[in-house]
Amino acid sequence: MKKFLILFLVLLLTVVVLSLSACSLFGKKGDTGAAGVGIASIEKSGTEGLVDTYTITLTDGSTTTFTVTNGKDGSSGSTSTNPNAPTPDEYFRFTLLEDDTYEISARYNDMPSRVVIPSTYNGKPVTVIRDGAFSGRQSMDEIVIPESVTEIGSNAFSGCTGLTSMTIQNGVTSIGEYAFSRCPGLTSVTIPNSVTSIGERAFFYCSGLTSITIPSSVTAIPDDAFYYCSGLTSITIPNS
């Protein structure tokens, strides 16, 4: 009986020692580590293109950041300590132009449902969406074009049958021929005031389009620009 009691006390002491060791090593939520500093919170603080930025707030009030790049279909990604990391090449192809800006296009047929064109790459502006850049990418349902882009090439988004939302920010001056042709999911289009040129059949066969607003910066509507837009019920044409 005495031996059993001694064995029990030894086991109890061992458990207590291990528990204290674990607390000293890992601590509880909000505890500080050996250096006197712990993690108070981790929060998502920003998003640019496919890159999410997270901010870590420490118990001493200081902060640090890290980024997570969303992988293809959200199934895989990569991390970076650079919060200004450019959009990865896994979705986009960048070509340096003579004016030291970039032209962009899709790298693969399978694209995310929401595509945000990055405004910069390698510290230089993205200014051109090349001809046929995203043509036929049916997985996309939303596209956002930043102010840095000045030119949307011919057939840039033609045949994107899943596209239902399009945002073109001020900066684009020209929309190429057939740029958004055969996008029946688009229902409303507002062309920004920066646009001065719309190509022929730019919105050809956008049968779901119900309204279109053309800015005063446009002086000519080309041939068949809205040909076969059978759902169109409202169009705003300026004095220009």
Side-chain angles (χ1 to χ4, degrees):
M1 183 68 180
K2 185 176 181 180
K3 288 183 178 180
F4 176 80
L5 182 59
I6 292 173
L7 179 60
F8 174 78
L9 291 173
V10 170
L11 289 174
L12 181 61
L13 182 60
T14 301
V15 170
V16 171
V17 171
L18 289 174
S19 298
L20 291 173
S21 298
C23 287
S24 65
L25 285 172
F26 302 107
K28 301 185 294 296
K29 184 179 180 180
D31 285 351
T32 59
V37 179
I39 295 175
S41 66
I42 301 177
E43 297 180 352
K44 183 176 177 181
S45 54
T47 298
E48 182 175 352
L50 301 175
V51 180
D52 293 333
T53 301
Y54 291 83
T55 297
I56 301 174
T57 301
L58 303 179
T59 54
D60 66 353
S62 61
T63 60
T64 186
T65 61
F66 68 92
T67 62
V68 175
T69 299
N70 298 314
K72 189 175 183 180
D73 298 329
S75 61
S76 62
S78 60
T79 60
S80 170
T81 56
N82 178 9
N84 298 314
T87 302
D89 292 32
E90 66 175 302
Y91 286 121
F92 302 121
R93 188 187 306 276
F94 299 91
T95 303
L96 190 62
L97 303 174
E98 291 183 357
D99 63 357
D100 211 28
T101 66
Y102 278 100
E103 178 183 71
I104 192 172
S105 61
R107 181 172 289 276
Y108 302 113
N109 286 329
D110 189 15
M111 297 292 292
S113 59
R114 184 175 189 266
V115 173
V116 179
I117 303 297
S119 59
T120 61
Y121 180 70
N122 284 344
K124 298 176 181 179
V126 175
T127 59
V128 177
I129 299 176
R130 73 178 302 168
D131 293 351
F134 297 90
S135 178
R137 271 58 174 191
Q138 299 178 8
S139 59
M140 299 190 308
D141 59 36
E142 181 181 1
I143 183 74
V144 179
I145 300 172
E147 292 182 355
S148 64
V149 172
T150 60
E151 180 182 341
I152 299 175
S154 300
N155 290 287
F157 299 96
S158 63
C160 294
T161 56
L163 193 62
T164 58
S165 176
M166 176 184 67
T167 302
I168 305 176
Q169 297 181 9
N170 262 319
V172 173
T173 58
S174 66
I175 299 175
E177 298 178 353
Y178 293 89
F180 295 95
S181 65
R182 299 187 181 277
C183 293
L186 286 176
T187 58
S188 177
V189 171
T190 299
I191 299 173
N193 292 326
S194 56
V195 172
T196 58
S197 172
I198 300 174
E200 293 184 6
R201 298 199 172 194
F203 295 92
F204 166 75
Y205 212 157
C206 290
S207 55
L209 195 62
T210 59
S211 67
I212 181 78
T213 299
I214 299 173
S216 58
S217 54
V218 173
T219 59
I221 299 174
D223 293 345
D224 299 325
F226 303 100
Y227 180 75
Y228 212 88
C229 291
S230 54
L232 194 62
T233 58
S234 172
I235 184 166
T236 300
I237 302 175
N239 290 334
S240 60

